[in-house]
Each structure stands twice: as structure tokens, then as C-alpha cells.
Amino acid sequence: MVEQGLIRAAQSGDRDALITLLREIEQHVYRTAYYILNNEQDAMDASQEALIRIYSKINSYEEKAQFKTWVQRIVTNICIDKFRRTKPSVSIDEHDIIFNDPQNVEVEVLTSYMAQDVREAIQQLPEHHRTVIVLRYLQDFSYNEIADSLDLPLNTVKSYLYRARQQLQGLLQEYQKGGVSG
């Protein structure tokens, strides 16, 4: 994700290195926050808070853990705190669908609806299941990286992922039948 030399330079007080480092992780931090919180404004707030915390705590990072795991722990904890402070709300924003190929409009519409169903199903999961799903499948973290990020035993992560996948499968089957509504 990020070169160790850049991290060390940022830790030694190189302001340009720190700014470069924050820019390199900015999208990753936002994407995680968005998938956990499912709200653009909350994700932007959480991302900003995470980047500020990373900025102020860069010297506390030790190379015992991977940098991306350390960053992930910060953003995930901020999102969990934010999620606990406010009740989740469903966004009713309309999203414009842009059709790239007029010949495949039906496929694009179905793909768009399936993606929306998956996002909605993920949002219905309990917080701990949603977090591991986001880290595993949207951030491509290994089981060990998830365990390190969330400070959980490896078997707990595996259990959460197993249960979350089962819940998602059930929710998505109900969506296909048209039986679930937010």
C-alpha cells in the first residue's frame, strides 16, 4: 500500500512526506468509511477525522503491524463510534444511471439493481458482521489483517464472516423474491 521509507520520513518530521502519505491513503480511508456508514456525509466526516488522527498519531505507528492494518483500525474504530452515536438512516438519494452501451441497457439496469440490493443487504447486517464483510470483500483484507485491525481472535473473524455470508445469502434470496423492504 505505502512504502516504508515514506512512513519513516513522515515520522521523522518531513511535512511533505506526511502530506504525500495522507494523500495516498485518503481514498482507501473514505471507501472503508462509506461502506461501513453507508452515508456520503458521514463517511466524509469519518474520513477527515481518521486522517487527522493518523496525522497526529503517525509517531505511534510501529512496524510490528502493517501500515494498512494500523490505518484500518483507526478508520474502523471511528466509524463504529460514529455509528453508535447516531442511529443509521437510509439514504433516499436518487442515483442517475448512465448507460454506456444502448444495446445492453437491460443488463446495466439489472446490474445496478443487484448492486443496490447487495448494499442494502450489507447495511442490514449487525455492525460487527458488516465491518468484517467490508474489510474482507471490499477492502480485500486477509483474515489475519482483519483480526489485527479489529483486535479480534482469528477464529472470531472466521465465525463472523461465515455468519455474515449466511445472513447476506438469506437477505439476497428474499430480495430476489421481492419480500424485503428497508
Side-chain angles (χ1 to χ4, degrees), residues 2-3 5-26 50-61 67 70-71:
V2 176
E3 293 180 32
L6 184 60
I7 297 166
R8 285 189 204 107
Q11 287 178 317
S12 69
D14 182 338
R15 188 172 185 277
D16 291 335
L18 183 56
I19 290 169
T20 301
L21 177 66
L22 292 173
R23 284 192 177 134
E24 284 189 24
I25 64 172
E26 183 177 28
L51 291 170
I52 290 169
R53 191 166 301 166
I54 292 163
Y55 174 85
S56 63
K57 304 259 184 201
I58 190 70
N59 288 327
S60 69
Y61 167 70
F67 184 71
W70 182 76
V71 167

mmCIF file of all heavy atoms in Angstrom, residues 2-3 5-26 50-61 67 70-71:
data_model
loop_
_atom_site.group_PDB
_atom_site.id
_atom_site.type_symbol
_atom_site.label_atom_id
_atom_site.label_comp_id
_atom_site.label_asym_id
_atom_site.label_seq_id
_atom_site.Cartn_x
_atom_site.Cartn_y
_atom_site.Cartn_z
ATOM 1 N N VAL A 2 1.726 1.417 1.007
ATOM 2 C CA VAL A 2 2.562 2.602 1.137
ATOM 3 C C VAL A 2 3.990 2.143 1.439
ATOM 4 O O VAL A 2 4.197 1.202 2.191
ATOM 5 C CB VAL A 2 2.043 3.503 2.290
ATOM 6 C CG1 VAL A 2 2.939 4.691 2.506
ATOM 7 C CG2 VAL A 2 0.628 3.969 2.003
ATOM 8 N N GLU A 3 4.958 2.844 0.861
ATOM 9 C CA GLU A 3 6.354 2.499 1.086
ATOM 10 C C GLU A 3 6.769 2.815 2.524
ATOM 11 O O GLU A 3 6.403 3.860 3.069
ATOM 12 C CB GLU A 3 7.257 3.288 0.136
ATOM 13 C CG GLU A 3 7.097 2.913 -1.308
ATOM 14 C CD GLU A 3 8.027 3.726 -2.195
ATOM 15 O OE1 GLU A 3 9.127 4.091 -1.740
ATOM 16 O OE2 GLU A 3 7.621 3.990 -3.324
ATOM 17 N N GLY A 5 9.664 3.679 3.523
ATOM 18 C CA GLY A 5 10.516 4.870 3.539
ATOM 19 C C GLY A 5 9.697 6.143 3.693
ATOM 20 O O GLY A 5 10.099 7.077 4.399
ATOM 21 N N LEU A 6 8.544 6.190 3.048
ATOM 22 C CA LEU A 6 7.658 7.346 3.153
ATOM 23 C C LEU A 6 7.108 7.464 4.578
ATOM 24 O O LEU A 6 7.030 8.567 5.134
ATOM 25 C CB LEU A 6 6.516 7.215 2.142
ATOM 26 C CG LEU A 6 5.543 8.387 2.035
ATOM 27 C CD1 LEU A 6 6.271 9.672 1.622
ATOM 28 C CD2 LEU A 6 4.450 8.061 1.033
ATOM 29 N N ILE A 7 6.759 6.349 5.156
ATOM 30 C CA ILE A 7 6.253 6.352 6.536
ATOM 31 C C ILE A 7 7.333 6.841 7.493
ATOM 32 O O ILE A 7 7.082 7.695 8.348
ATOM 33 C CB ILE A 7 5.767 4.941 6.940
ATOM 34 C CG1 ILE A 7 4.590 4.520 6.050
ATOM 35 C CG2 ILE A 7 5.375 4.905 8.413
ATOM 36 C CD1 ILE A 7 4.251 3.053 6.137
ATOM 37 N N ARG A 8 8.534 6.320 7.339
ATOM 38 C CA ARG A 8 9.639 6.739 8.225
ATOM 39 C C ARG A 8 9.945 8.236 8.068
ATOM 40 O O ARG A 8 10.211 8.930 9.043
ATOM 41 C CB ARG A 8 10.886 5.908 7.926
ATOM 42 C CG ARG A 8 10.781 4.503 8.467
ATOM 43 C CD ARG A 8 12.107 3.750 8.353
ATOM 44 N NE ARG A 8 11.818 2.332 8.330
ATOM 45 C CZ ARG A 8 11.896 1.549 7.266
ATOM 46 N NH1 ARG A 8 12.286 2.031 6.100
ATOM 47 N NH2 ARG A 8 11.611 0.272 7.351
ATOM 48 N N ALA A 9 9.919 8.717 6.827
ATOM 49 C CA ALA A 9 10.169 10.146 6.589
ATOM 50 C C ALA A 9 9.082 10.989 7.266
ATOM 51 O O ALA A 9 9.379 12.023 7.877
ATOM 52 C CB ALA A 9 10.209 10.426 5.088
ATOM 53 N N ALA A 10 7.837 10.548 7.163
ATOM 54 C CA ALA A 10 6.738 11.278 7.817
ATOM 55 C C ALA A 10 6.910 11.267 9.329
ATOM 56 O O ALA A 10 6.690 12.282 10.001
ATOM 57 C CB ALA A 10 5.394 10.659 7.433
ATOM 58 N N GLN A 11 7.342 10.147 9.861
ATOM 59 C CA GLN A 11 7.551 10.047 11.312
ATOM 60 C C GLN A 11 8.715 10.914 11.783
ATOM 61 O O GLN A 11 8.717 11.376 12.911
ATOM 62 C CB GLN A 11 7.803 8.589 11.716
ATOM 63 C CG GLN A 11 6.556 7.745 11.658
ATOM 64 C CD GLN A 11 6.827 6.292 12.015
ATOM 65 O OE1 GLN A 11 7.829 5.703 11.582
ATOM 66 N NE2 GLN A 11 5.936 5.716 12.802
ATOM 67 N N SER A 12 9.677 11.132 10.911
ATOM 68 C CA SER A 12 10.844 11.931 11.296
ATOM 69 C C SER A 12 10.590 13.433 11.150
ATOM 70 O O SER A 12 11.484 14.237 11.381
ATOM 71 C CB SER A 12 12.075 11.522 10.483
ATOM 72 O OG SER A 12 11.905 11.903 9.134
ATOM 73 N N GLY A 13 9.370 13.799 10.750
ATOM 74 C CA GLY A 13 9.032 15.214 10.692
ATOM 75 C C GLY A 13 9.018 15.827 9.304
ATOM 76 O O GLY A 13 8.813 17.027 9.168
ATOM 77 N N ASP A 14 9.204 15.019 8.272
ATOM 78 C CA ASP A 14 9.168 15.527 6.898
ATOM 79 C C ASP A 14 7.708 15.813 6.530
ATOM 80 O O ASP A 14 6.918 14.899 6.280
ATOM 81 C CB ASP A 14 9.769 14.487 5.948
ATOM 82 C CG ASP A 14 9.825 14.949 4.505
ATOM 83 O OD1 ASP A 14 9.062 15.869 4.123
ATOM 84 O OD2 ASP A 14 10.631 14.371 3.739
ATOM 85 N N ARG A 15 7.364 17.088 6.520
ATOM 86 C CA ARG A 15 5.972 17.504 6.282
ATOM 87 C C ARG A 15 5.486 17.075 4.900
ATOM 88 O O ARG A 15 4.348 16.632 4.748
ATOM 89 C CB ARG A 15 5.867 19.018 6.437
ATOM 90 C CG ARG A 15 4.459 19.537 6.397
ATOM 91 C CD ARG A 15 4.424 21.030 6.762
ATOM 92 N NE ARG A 15 3.077 21.528 6.835
ATOM 93 C CZ ARG A 15 2.357 21.920 5.799
ATOM 94 N NH1 ARG A 15 2.865 21.865 4.592
ATOM 95 N NH2 ARG A 15 1.136 22.369 5.960
ATOM 96 N N ASP A 16 6.316 17.200 3.884
ATOM 97 C CA ASP A 16 5.923 16.797 2.532
ATOM 98 C C ASP A 16 5.641 15.295 2.457
ATOM 99 O O ASP A 16 4.707 14.863 1.792
ATOM 100 C CB ASP A 16 7.003 17.174 1.513
ATOM 101 C CG ASP A 16 7.109 18.684 1.325
ATOM 102 O OD1 ASP A 16 6.095 19.381 1.573
ATOM 103 O OD2 ASP A 16 8.191 19.155 0.936
ATOM 104 N N ALA A 17 6.449 14.511 3.150
ATOM 105 C CA ALA A 17 6.237 13.065 3.174
ATOM 106 C C ALA A 17 4.914 12.735 3.865
ATOM 107 O O ALA A 17 4.164 11.864 3.405
ATOM 108 C CB ALA A 17 7.396 12.373 3.890
ATOM 109 N N LEU A 18 4.616 13.442 4.928
ATOM 110 C CA LEU A 18 3.364 13.209 5.650
ATOM 111 C C LEU A 18 2.157 13.556 4.779
ATOM 112 O O LEU A 18 1.197 12.794 4.706
ATOM 113 C CB LEU A 18 3.331 14.018 6.953
ATOM 114 C CG LEU A 18 2.108 13.820 7.839
ATOM 115 C CD1 LEU A 18 1.909 12.354 8.195
ATOM 116 C CD2 LEU A 18 2.241 14.654 9.108
ATOM 117 N N ILE A 19 2.237 14.658 4.065
ATOM 118 C CA ILE A 19 1.138 15.054 3.174
ATOM 119 C C ILE A 19 0.981 14.032 2.050
ATOM 120 O O ILE A 19 -0.137 13.622 1.718
ATOM 121 C CB ILE A 19 1.374 16.474 2.618
ATOM 122 C CG1 ILE A 19 1.207 17.491 3.754
ATOM 123 C CG2 ILE A 19 0.439 16.778 1.459
ATOM 124 C CD1 ILE A 19 1.662 18.898 3.414
ATOM 125 N N THR A 20 2.083 13.588 1.475
ATOM 126 C CA THR A 20 2.037 12.567 0.425
ATOM 127 C C THR A 20 1.426 11.275 0.964
ATOM 128 O O THR A 20 0.578 10.655 0.309
ATOM 129 C CB THR A 20 3.456 12.292 -0.127
ATOM 130 O OG1 THR A 20 3.981 13.512 -0.648
ATOM 131 C CG2 THR A 20 3.434 11.226 -1.198
ATOM 132 N N LEU A 21 1.825 10.902 2.152
ATOM 133 C CA LEU A 21 1.305 9.689 2.789
ATOM 134 C C LEU A 21 -0.213 9.790 2.973
ATOM 135 O O LEU A 21 -0.951 8.871 2.632
ATOM 136 C CB LEU A 21 1.991 9.482 4.140
ATOM 137 C CG LEU A 21 1.535 8.302 4.977
ATOM 138 C CD1 LEU A 21 1.902 7.005 4.283
ATOM 139 C CD2 LEU A 21 2.180 8.364 6.349
ATOM 140 N N LEU A 22 -0.677 10.908 3.490
ATOM 141 C CA LEU A 22 -2.112 11.092 3.713
ATOM 142 C C LEU A 22 -2.882 11.082 2.398
ATOM 143 O O LEU A 22 -3.986 10.525 2.322
ATOM 144 C CB LEU A 22 -2.374 12.391 4.482
ATOM 145 C CG LEU A 22 -1.888 12.398 5.932
ATOM 146 C CD1 LEU A 22 -2.052 13.781 6.543
ATOM 147 C CD2 LEU A 22 -2.591 11.351 6.761
ATOM 148 N N ARG A 23 -2.312 11.662 1.369
ATOM 149 C CA ARG A 23 -2.972 11.650 0.052
ATOM 150 C C ARG A 23 -3.063 10.236 -0.516
ATOM 151 O O ARG A 23 -4.029 9.894 -1.184
ATOM 152 C CB ARG A 23 -2.248 12.571 -0.922
ATOM 153 C CG ARG A 23 -2.546 14.025 -0.638
ATOM 154 C CD ARG A 23 -2.074 14.930 -1.748
ATOM 155 N NE ARG A 23 -2.456 16.299 -1.458
ATOM 156 C CZ ARG A 23 -1.657 17.333 -1.582
ATOM 157 N NH1 ARG A 23 -0.431 17.175 -2.027
ATOM 158 N NH2 ARG A 23 -2.082 18.545 -1.286
ATOM 159 N N GLU A 24 -2.045 9.432 -0.257
ATOM 160 C CA GLU A 24 -2.044 8.060 -0.779
ATOM 161 C C GLU A 24 -3.100 7.183 -0.114
ATOM 162 O O GLU A 24 -3.609 6.257 -0.736
ATOM 163 C CB GLU A 24 -0.662 7.418 -0.618
ATOM 164 C CG GLU A 24 0.331 7.913 -1.637
ATOM 165 C CD GLU A 24 1.629 7.129 -1.629
ATOM 166 O OE1 GLU A 24 1.622 5.956 -1.192
ATOM 167 O OE2 GLU A 24 2.646 7.691 -2.068
ATOM 168 N N ILE A 25 -3.407 7.454 1.142
ATOM 169 C CA ILE A 25 -4.365 6.604 1.849
ATOM 170 C C ILE A 25 -5.773 7.199 1.896
ATOM 171 O O ILE A 25 -6.715 6.531 2.329
ATOM 172 C CB ILE A 25 -3.885 6.299 3.283
ATOM 173 C CG1 ILE A 25 -3.798 7.574 4.128
ATOM 174 C CG2 ILE A 25 -2.569 5.534 3.260
ATOM 175 C CD1 ILE A 25 -3.515 7.328 5.600
ATOM 176 N N GLU A 26 -5.933 8.415 1.433
ATOM 177 C CA GLU A 26 -7.207 9.129 1.537
ATOM 178 C C GLU A 26 -8.382 8.353 0.929
ATOM 179 O O GLU A 26 -9.429 8.210 1.559
ATOM 180 C CB GLU A 26 -7.053 10.487 0.858
ATOM 181 C CG GLU A 26 -8.245 11.374 0.934
ATOM 182 C CD GLU A 26 -7.970 12.728 0.286
ATOM 183 O OE1 GLU A 26 -7.125 12.813 -0.641
ATOM 184 O OE2 GLU A 26 -8.599 13.692 0.722
ATOM 185 N N ALA A 50 -10.373 10.474 10.694
ATOM 186 C CA ALA A 50 -9.336 9.433 10.649
ATOM 187 C C ALA A 50 -8.014 9.995 10.146
ATOM 188 O O ALA A 50 -6.952 9.701 10.704
ATOM 189 C CB ALA A 50 -9.799 8.275 9.766
ATOM 190 N N LEU A 51 -8.055 10.807 9.095
ATOM 191 C CA LEU A 51 -6.819 11.391 8.550
ATOM 192 C C LEU A 51 -6.164 12.324 9.571
ATOM 193 O O LEU A 51 -4.933 12.342 9.698
ATOM 194 C CB LEU A 51 -7.099 12.109 7.235
ATOM 195 C CG LEU A 51 -7.458 11.186 6.068
ATOM 196 C CD1 LEU A 51 -7.958 11.990 4.878
ATOM 197 C CD2 LEU A 51 -6.288 10.301 5.679
ATOM 198 N N ILE A 52 -6.978 13.066 10.299
ATOM 199 C CA ILE A 52 -6.420 13.937 11.344
ATOM 200 C C ILE A 52 -5.773 13.097 12.436
ATOM 201 O O ILE A 52 -4.682 13.409 12.922
ATOM 202 C CB ILE A 52 -7.516 14.861 11.919
ATOM 203 C CG1 ILE A 52 -7.905 15.900 10.870
ATOM 204 C CG2 ILE A 52 -7.054 15.528 13.213
ATOM 205 C CD1 ILE A 52 -9.151 16.698 11.221
ATOM 206 N N ARG A 53 -6.443 12.002 12.809
ATOM 207 C CA ARG A 53 -5.881 11.135 13.843
ATOM 208 C C ARG A 53 -4.581 10.485 13.360
ATOM 209 O O ARG A 53 -3.612 10.381 14.116
ATOM 210 C CB ARG A 53 -6.892 10.074 14.259
ATOM 211 C CG ARG A 53 -6.434 9.333 15.511
ATOM 212 C CD ARG A 53 -7.503 8.529 16.158
ATOM 213 N NE ARG A 53 -8.643 9.354 16.552
ATOM 214 C CZ ARG A 53 -9.814 8.844 16.898
ATOM 215 N NH1 ARG A 53 -10.000 7.540 16.893
ATOM 216 N NH2 ARG A 53 -10.808 9.633 17.240
ATOM 217 N N ILE A 54 -4.542 10.061 12.111
ATOM 218 C CA ILE A 54 -3.321 9.470 11.544
ATOM 219 C C ILE A 54 -2.210 10.515 11.539
ATOM 220 O O ILE A 54 -1.078 10.226 11.912
ATOM 221 C CB ILE A 54 -3.591 8.908 10.131
ATOM 222 C CG1 ILE A 54 -4.523 7.695 10.232
ATOM 223 C CG2 ILE A 54 -2.296 8.562 9.418
ATOM 224 C CD1 ILE A 54 -5.181 7.298 8.927
ATOM 225 N N TYR A 55 -2.557 11.726 11.130
ATOM 226 C CA TYR A 55 -1.601 12.845 11.109
ATOM 227 C C TYR A 55 -1.006 13.074 12.497
ATOM 228 O O TYR A 55 0.204 13.210 12.656
ATOM 229 C CB TYR A 55 -2.333 14.100 10.616
ATOM 230 C CG TYR A 55 -1.529 15.374 10.673
ATOM 231 C CD1 TYR A 55 -0.682 15.720 9.635
ATOM 232 C CD2 TYR A 55 -1.622 16.234 11.765
ATOM 233 C CE1 TYR A 55 0.053 16.902 9.670
ATOM 234 C CE2 TYR A 55 -0.895 17.406 11.811
ATOM 235 C CZ TYR A 55 -0.060 17.745 10.766
ATOM 236 O OH TYR A 55 0.666 18.900 10.807
ATOM 237 N N SER A 56 -1.864 13.101 13.496
ATOM 238 C CA SER A 56 -1.380 13.414 14.840
ATOM 239 C C SER A 56 -0.726 12.228 15.542
ATOM 240 O O SER A 56 0.057 12.409 16.469
ATOM 241 C CB SER A 56 -2.517 13.976 15.701
ATOM 242 O OG SER A 56 -3.526 13.006 15.872
ATOM 243 N N LYS A 57 -1.025 11.018 15.108
ATOM 244 C CA LYS A 57 -0.507 9.825 15.785
ATOM 245 C C LYS A 57 0.506 9.044 14.955
ATOM 246 O O LYS A 57 0.836 7.920 15.299
ATOM 247 C CB LYS A 57 -1.670 8.889 16.131
ATOM 248 C CG LYS A 57 -2.756 9.509 16.949
ATOM 249 C CD LYS A 57 -2.627 9.137 18.360
ATOM 250 C CE LYS A 57 -3.812 9.701 19.121
ATOM 251 N NZ LYS A 57 -3.570 9.823 20.502
ATOM 252 N N ILE A 58 0.994 9.628 13.863
ATOM 253 C CA ILE A 58 1.907 8.897 12.979
ATOM 254 C C ILE A 58 3.124 8.366 13.730
ATOM 255 O O ILE A 58 3.624 7.290 13.422
ATOM 256 C CB ILE A 58 2.326 9.756 11.751
ATOM 257 C CG1 ILE A 58 3.084 8.907 10.720
ATOM 258 C CG2 ILE A 58 3.170 10.942 12.177
ATOM 259 C CD1 ILE A 58 2.234 7.911 10.004
ATOM 260 N N ASN A 59 3.569 9.078 14.750
ATOM 261 C CA ASN A 59 4.740 8.617 15.504
ATOM 262 C C ASN A 59 4.447 7.412 16.385
ATOM 263 O O ASN A 59 5.363 6.735 16.831
ATOM 264 C CB ASN A 59 5.318 9.757 16.333
ATOM 265 C CG ASN A 59 6.005 10.777 15.451
ATOM 266 O OD1 ASN A 59 6.579 10.437 14.418
ATOM 267 N ND2 ASN A 59 5.915 12.043 15.834
ATOM 268 N N SER A 60 3.163 7.127 16.625
ATOM 269 C CA SER A 60 2.829 5.957 17.439
ATOM 270 C C SER A 60 2.777 4.674 16.603
ATOM 271 O O SER A 60 2.693 3.580 17.165
ATOM 272 C CB SER A 60 1.495 6.164 18.163
ATOM 273 O OG SER A 60 0.429 6.153 17.243
ATOM 274 N N TYR A 61 2.829 4.821 15.268
ATOM 275 C CA TYR A 61 2.839 3.627 14.426
ATOM 276 C C TYR A 61 4.173 2.917 14.584
ATOM 277 O O TYR A 61 5.237 3.513 14.485
ATOM 278 C CB TYR A 61 2.615 3.988 12.951
ATOM 279 C CG TYR A 61 2.921 2.830 12.018
ATOM 280 C CD1 TYR A 61 2.101 1.715 11.989
ATOM 281 C CD2 TYR A 61 4.050 2.842 11.210
ATOM 282 C CE1 TYR A 61 2.390 0.648 11.165
ATOM 283 C CE2 TYR A 61 4.342 1.784 10.374
ATOM 284 C CZ TYR A 61 3.509 0.681 10.358
ATOM 285 O OH TYR A 61 3.813 -0.383 9.551
ATOM 286 N N PHE A 67 1.163 -1.173 7.936
ATOM 287 C CA PHE A 67 0.637 0.182 7.986
ATOM 288 C C PHE A 67 -0.847 0.208 7.638
ATOM 289 O O PHE A 67 -1.642 0.878 8.285
ATOM 290 C CB PHE A 67 1.427 1.100 7.046
ATOM 291 C CG PHE A 67 1.010 2.533 7.126
ATOM 292 C CD1 PHE A 67 1.301 3.295 8.249
ATOM 293 C CD2 PHE A 67 0.300 3.123 6.087
ATOM 294 C CE1 PHE A 67 0.908 4.633 8.331
ATOM 295 C CE2 PHE A 67 -0.099 4.445 6.160
ATOM 296 C CZ PHE A 67 0.206 5.206 7.287
ATOM 297 N N TRP A 70 -2.898 -0.768 10.576
ATOM 298 C CA TRP A 70 -2.933 0.309 11.568
ATOM 299 C C TRP A 70 -3.936 1.383 11.138
ATOM 300 O O TRP A 70 -4.765 1.832 11.932
ATOM 301 C CB TRP A 70 -1.527 0.884 11.733
ATOM 302 C CG TRP A 70 -1.392 1.963 12.751
ATOM 303 C CD1 TRP A 70 -1.364 1.815 14.111
ATOM 304 C CD2 TRP A 70 -1.241 3.360 12.492
ATOM 305 N NE1 TRP A 70 -1.214 3.049 14.710
ATOM 306 C CE2 TRP A 70 -1.129 4.011 13.735
ATOM 307 C CE3 TRP A 70 -1.196 4.127 11.334
ATOM 308 C CZ2 TRP A 70 -0.975 5.387 13.856
ATOM 309 C CZ3 TRP A 70 -1.032 5.499 11.447
ATOM 310 C CH2 TRP A 70 -0.920 6.114 12.691
ATOM 311 N N VAL A 71 -3.888 1.777 9.873
ATOM 312 C CA VAL A 71 -4.816 2.776 9.338
ATOM 313 C C VAL A 71 -6.248 2.243 9.418
ATOM 314 O O VAL A 71 -7.167 2.955 9.823
ATOM 315 C CB VAL A 71 -4.448 3.140 7.880
ATOM 316 C CG1 VAL A 71 -5.562 3.917 7.192
ATOM 317 C CG2 VAL A 71 -3.141 3.917 7.839
#
